Amino acid sequence: MASDRTDGRVLSLAVSRDGKHLAAGDDVGCVRVMEVRLMRTQQRLVLGHGQGSRSPVLVWASTFISDTLLATGDSEGRVQLWSTAVGVLLQTLQTHEADILALSLDGNSASLYATGIDHKVVRLQEVKPSEGKQAAGRWAVTTEHRYHTHDIRCMEVTNDAVYTGGIDAQITRASPTLTKIIKASFYDRVWDRSTCCQGPASHCLRVAVEHHCSICP
């Protein structure tokens, strides 16, 4: 079944937790939220143009935190949270100095991780009412770290580790709090933003690099 046409090239896709909605981010500053059964657009989220630029924002990454809460990462280095139920921007966090290329959520939906061109990995968590003056339902950066020397192109998160890979040919396994590198391995250049993925039994990681595919235990 074909979907409605997007406004530009599709750069990111995310499926809601209940499997009923699909979000497609593009290169002209838009995200279309579609109902999967009919593949028709229900909401059109507009990110617009970059600050001080006539170029549209590139929506490189997206992931659903819940059935109706979508996170996007873009070429302005922002993580933005959207209500897909009503098509409203809820919060903007300027987490990076350059493009965000990957977003990942842990298995408990308690931590959201963002990374990209500035080789920084950022952990965001929802602020609880007792933790500060920010209202409940808002998210904030709790930890950030740089393990790599160049762009991070892909990321995979489990309940006990954060895996990242990029142009510096390093695959890093870090603790969920980003405070400890558990293991680092070196490969050919990790080639694509979507080529790190967790194995079905959570015991291996498949990594596509420039000339071959590796399985890491």
Side-chain angles (χ1 to χ4, degrees):
M1 180 184 294
S3 70
D4 292 340
R5 290 187 64 86
T6 60
D7 299 280
R9 294 179 300 153
V10 177
L11 302 178
S12 61
L13 291 172
V15 178
S16 62
R17 307 296 291 255
D18 60 8
K20 294 181 179 179
H21 293 90
L22 176 72
D26 61 32
D27 65 348
V28 292
C30 292
V31 178
R32 286 185 180 267
V33 180
M34 304 177 186
E35 199 268 331
V36 168
R37 185 173 60 88
L38 298 175
M39 292 299 285
R40 294 292 178 261
T41 301
Q42 290 189 331
Q43 301 289 349
R44 184 172 177 269
L45 315 177
V46 180
L47 285 73
H49 291 75
Q51 293 184 354
S53 172
R54 295 184 179 180
S55 301
V57 171
L58 307 178
V59 188
W60 289 118
S62 57
T63 188
F64 276 91
I65 297 173
S66 68
D67 292 338
T68 58
L69 181 60
L70 177 72
T72 59
D74 60 42
S75 54
E76 291 291 296
R78 303 173 304 188
V79 172
Q80 294 189 305
L81 304 178
W82 304 81
S83 167
T84 58
V86 292
V88 172
L89 176 63
L90 302 175
Q91 188 179 0
T92 297
L93 299 106
Q94 188 70 50
T95 57
H96 291 72
E97 292 78 46
D99 302 47
I100 293 174
L101 299 181
L103 290 174
S104 289
L105 193 69
D106 72 359
N108 298 318
S109 301
S111 296
L112 175 68
Y113 296 85
T115 191
I117 287 180
D118 65 1
H119 56 274
K120 178 170 64 174
V121 183
V122 172
R123 183 192 192 196
L124 303 100
Q125 293 182 297
E126 188 175 4
V127 176
K128 306 301 180 183
S130 60
E131 293 179 358
K133 297 181 180 179
Q134 298 187 58
R138 307 284 286 181
W139 288 66
V141 174
T142 56
T143 318
E144 59 181 61
H145 213 289
R146 283 184 168 93
Y147 300 118
H148 294 261
T149 58
H150 294 81
D151 308 14
I152 300 175
R153 294 298 184 94
C154 51
M155 174 169 56
E156 182 69 25
V157 177
T158 66
N159 287 336
D160 60 358
V162 178
Y163 299 91
T164 52
I167 290 179
D168 63 359
Q170 178 171 277
I171 307 295
T172 296
R173 180 185 177 199
S175 64
T177 58
L178 305 180
T179 55
K180 179 182 178 182
I181 295 180
I182 302 171
K183 183 179 181 181
S185 301
F186 291 88
Y187 295 84
D188 295 331
R189 178 170 53 166
V190 177
W191 192 243
D192 187 81
R193 292 184 299 111
S194 59
T195 51
C196 276
C197 55
Q198 179 188 350
S202 302
H203 296 149
C204 63
L205 188 74
R206 186 172 70 248
V207 182
V209 295
E210 189 166 2
H211 300 297
H212 62 275
C213 182
S214 299
I215 305 295
C216 316

